[in-house]
């Protein structure tokens, strides 16, 4: 079948993207699903910094590529057990084979065949269903239809609005998961979140959910700081000020028990580490350019019993966590709808990524 989608053929084109048009809306031939795969009619797809990082070249991927990894839709055809036409699904951007070492340990985010497929631009089994165009993280959700591995899909509540449902596949799973799965923050422990995009604010929601206190938010955009306060932050700090670390340490009584860095910056990760107290844990969620490095006092890891942890996909088991977070949203305990800034259409994606790059948006969602 012929699908209409947003194809990136060259990374690193200059902004504004409204002028350089890195994403070209093209008609692409989509092959039918093979064994273990699904054909899905895409209903909505979120715009994420991970997409932007491919566009600007800071997260290199094989080209050309049909972008979009945070999405939801309806199964049209199933060649996989457990899925039927009409099922509503969300996607995880790491397909989990279920058989490799990390999967056997319950660490689906680190699935080894999944990582190989994502790097190669294929589906989990190594296939490409877009001809010469590569798949983005096994999803390629910026199109009206997609073929995906069933290992990338999770059945979800069909009553959830698509523009909200899409957010659970990346922003919510990554941000909330960093708090509840990676860090396992307990009620009454202090936390700080550096960076208030979709993932950062999801981490803030997760920290509020588990009762972190005090809860500090750090960003450069005043509107995002105000939003963070309304979502449970007890203090909001402008990252442009010179004494950010000192302000965080003061607000948390000597440093946070847990600090979360979601920007994808080595420098900001250094601030997050410095703002963590003795015995505390710094969790990094952002994806910096591979050339960035981090320098910390090595002795602090031992003498202060400090911990530095990475969190990918929120250390999630998607089949468990996506339905769980949706249930919390429906119960009013995880107000994910507050993250939605606006909806866009396929023909205005480049302009939307300009807005994302400028930092003025939390989560924009492509509605198809």
């Amino acid at each position: 079948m012929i699908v209409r989608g947003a194809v990136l053929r060259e990374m690193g084109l200059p902004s504004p993207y409204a002028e350089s048009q890195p994403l070209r809306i093209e008609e692409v031939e989509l092959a039918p699903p093979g064994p273990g795969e699904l054909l899905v009619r895409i209903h909505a797809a979120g715009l994420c910094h991970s997409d932007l990082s491919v566009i600007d070249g800071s997260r290199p991927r094989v080209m050309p590529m049909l972008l979009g990894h945070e999405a939801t839709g309806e199964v049209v055809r199933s060649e996989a057990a457990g899925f039927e036409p009409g099922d509503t699904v969300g996607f995880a951007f790491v397909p989990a084979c279920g058989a490799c070492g990390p999967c056997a340990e319950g660490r689906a985010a680190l699935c080894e065949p999944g990582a190989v497929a994502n790097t190669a631009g294929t589906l989990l089994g190594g296939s490409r269903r877009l001809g010469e165009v590569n798949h983005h993280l096994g999803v390629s959700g910026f199109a009206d239809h997609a073929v995906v591995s069933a290992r990338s899909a999770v059945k979800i509540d069909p009553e959830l609005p698509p523009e909200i449902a899409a957010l659970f596949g990346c922003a919510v799973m990554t941000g909330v998961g960093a708090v509840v799965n990676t860090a396992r923050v307990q009620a009454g422990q202090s936390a700080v979140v550096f960076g208030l995009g979709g993932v950062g604010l999801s981490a803030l929601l997760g920290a509020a959910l588990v009762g972190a206190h005090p809860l500090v938010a750090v960003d450069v955009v005043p509107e995002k700081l105000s939003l963070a306060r309304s979502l449970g932050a007890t203090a909001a700090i402008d990252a442009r000020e010179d004494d950010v670390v000192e302000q965080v340490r003061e607000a948390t009584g000597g440093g946070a028990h847990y600090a979360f860095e979601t920007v994808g910056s080595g420098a900001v990760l250094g601030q997050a580490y410095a703002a963590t107290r003795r015995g505390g844990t710094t969790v990094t969620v952002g994806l910096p350019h591979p050339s960035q490095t981090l320098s910390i006092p090595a002795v602090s890891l031992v003498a202060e019993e400090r911990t530095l942890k990475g969190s990918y996909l929120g250390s999630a088991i998607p089949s468990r966590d996506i339905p769980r977070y949706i249930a919390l949203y429906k119960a009013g305990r995880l107000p994910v709808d507050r993250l939605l800034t606006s909806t866009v259409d396929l023909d205005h994606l480049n302009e939307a990524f300009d807005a994302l790059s400028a930092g003025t948006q939390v989560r924009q969602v492509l509605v198809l």
Side-chain angles (χ1 to χ4, degrees):
M1 66 183 297
I2 301 298
V3 301
R4 190 166 180 262
V7 178
L8 180 70
R9 294 190 173 273
E10 181 182 355
M11 294 180 290
L13 291 178
S15 59
Y17 300 128
E19 296 178 5
S20 61
Q21 296 285 305
L23 292 175
R24 302 300 174 104
I25 308 307
E26 301 181 9
E27 290 188 343
V28 181
E29 185 170 351
L30 179 65
E37 296 175 354
L38 310 172
L39 172 64
V40 180
R41 168 73 171 92
I42 302 296
H43 289 157
L47 278 64
C48 177
H49 266 280
S50 295
D51 304 305
L52 181 60
S53 295
V54 179
I55 293 171
D56 67 19
S58 60
R59 188 72 174 162
R61 294 285 178 186
V62 289
M63 293 286 111
M65 179 169 280
L66 201 160
L67 291 191
H69 67 283
E70 180 188 80
T72 185
E74 179 183 341
V75 175
V76 176
R77 176 178 167 184
S78 173
E79 298 295 336
F83 293 89
E84 300 293 339
D87 287 343
T88 300
V89 294
F91 302 109
F93 60 84
V94 179
C97 75
C100 68
C103 283
E105 295 170 359
R107 306 187 74 182
L110 301 182
C111 175
E112 291 167 344
V116 170
N118 282 358
T119 300
T122 69
L123 301 184
L124 180 61
S127 62
R128 286 184 178 83
R129 303 300 182 197
L130 291 166
E132 51 93 25
V133 176
N134 293 285
H135 297 267
H136 185 210
L137 301 179
V139 180
S140 291
F142 291 163
D144 50 62
H145 288 79
V147 168
V148 302
S149 167
R151 293 287 187 169
S152 295
V154 176
K155 287 194 285 189
I156 63 173
D157 186 342
E159 296 181 359
L160 205 62
E163 63 272 20
I164 304 300
L167 304 180
F168 288 87
C170 178
V172 177
M173 185 160 53
T174 300
V176 177
V179 173
V180 302
N181 294 328
T182 309
R184 301 188 178 184
V185 178
Q186 301 296 308
Q189 294 179 316
S190 58
V192 56
V193 179
F194 285 78
L196 301 177
V199 171
L201 282 168
S202 291
L204 187 89
L205 290 179
L209 171 74
V210 301
H213 185 85
L215 177 53
V216 182
V218 182
D219 201 276
V220 298
V221 180
E223 292 79 10
K224 290 182 177 179
L225 293 171
S226 296
L227 177 58
R229 282 189 178 277
S230 74
L231 294 174
T234 57
I237 297 171
D238 191 330
R240 295 170 295 184
E241 297 180 10
D242 294 333
D243 59 345
V244 171
V245 171
E246 290 75 12
Q247 288 189 57
V248 172
R249 296 185 69 85
E250 181 178 355
T252 55
H257 287 99
Y258 292 93
F260 298 89
E261 182 277 320
T262 72
V263 178
S265 162
V268 176
L269 178 56
Q271 286 186 314
Y273 187 83
T276 310
R277 69 175 59 202
R278 292 167 59 88
T281 298
T282 308
V283 178
T284 178
V285 182
L287 289 167
H289 189 280
S291 66
Q292 291 194 33
T293 60
L294 172 68
S295 177
I296 59 173
V299 69
S300 65
L301 292 170
V302 176
E304 299 179 9
E305 290 195 356
R306 303 275 287 279
T307 302
L308 177 61
K309 301 188 72 172
S311 178
Y312 191 52
L313 194 72
S315 304
I317 300 174
S319 60
R320 175 197 67 189
D321 289 342
I322 292 178
R324 178 171 62 167
Y325 298 155
I326 289 174
L328 287 166
Y329 165 70
K330 293 181 68 178
R333 299 184 61 195
L334 203 61
V336 172
D337 55 303
R338 299 286 304 279
L339 306 182
L340 179 63
T341 305
S342 61
T343 59
V344 300
D345 60 37
L346 199 56
D347 292 315
H348 293 89
L349 272 184
N350 286 299
E351 292 87 343
F353 275 105
D354 279 326
L356 179 61
S357 179
T360 59
Q361 307 290 306
V362 176
R363 222 34 160 209
Q364 303 168 93
V365 174
L366 168 67
V367 176
L368 294 146

